[in-house]
Amino acid sequence: MITIKDVEHVAKLARLELSEEEKEKFSKQLGDILKYVEQMNEIDTTGVEPMSHAIPMVNVMREDVVVSENTKDELMANAPLKEDGFFRVPKIN
């Protein structure tokens, strides 16, 4: 059972402000989702192989080969701010 306190905790982690009405609504919706997942856990999946897609998929990949190398000076030429040979970025609080 998902409580309103659980919803408030998740909202705080996601930095969301929710109204009391939204907290109640989401607590019911998340509870319903968990009930559905519990139903799915009751299904016997013996002999079912795990898969990432419903149909077979193949990626066509090329070899990872370096075609040309950039020098540090070439890369730094595009930097809006630089300091002592490094990219300078704004401080994050």
Side-chain angles (χ1 to χ4, degrees):
M1 171 94 176
I2 298 290
T3 65
I4 290 179
K5 288 282 184 202
D6 295 328
V7 172
E8 288 172 343
H9 179 69
V10 172
K12 181 179 178 185
L13 293 174
R15 297 185 178 172
L16 297 173
E17 289 186 29
L18 301 177
S19 68
E20 292 302 317
E21 183 180 289
E22 289 173 319
K23 290 176 191 177
E24 290 179 28
K25 175 183 175 183
F26 294 146
S27 123
K28 180 183 177 339
Q29 288 178 344
L30 290 170
D32 291 344
I33 291 169
L34 290 179
K35 284 180 193 172
Y36 183 68
V37 170
E38 285 176 19
Q39 283 181 332
M40 291 174 48
N41 284 334
E42 294 173 5
I43 297 171
D44 181 17
T45 57
T46 306
V48 177
E49 292 186 34
M51 61 181 172
S52 61
H53 294 83
I55 57 173
M57 298 196 71
V58 178
N59 284 332
V60 179
M61 306 289 259
R62 64 172 171 76
E63 283 293 315
D64 190 14
V65 179
V66 176
V67 179
S68 66
E69 289 188 34
N70 295 318
T71 65
K72 183 176 180 180
D73 291 333
E74 290 172 329
L75 295 172
M76 295 299 293
N78 293 318
L81 296 171
K82 43 193 156 190
E83 184 177 305
D84 298 326
F86 296 96
F87 293 105
R88 182 179 169 102
V89 295
K91 182 178 178 181
I92 298 174
N93 296 325

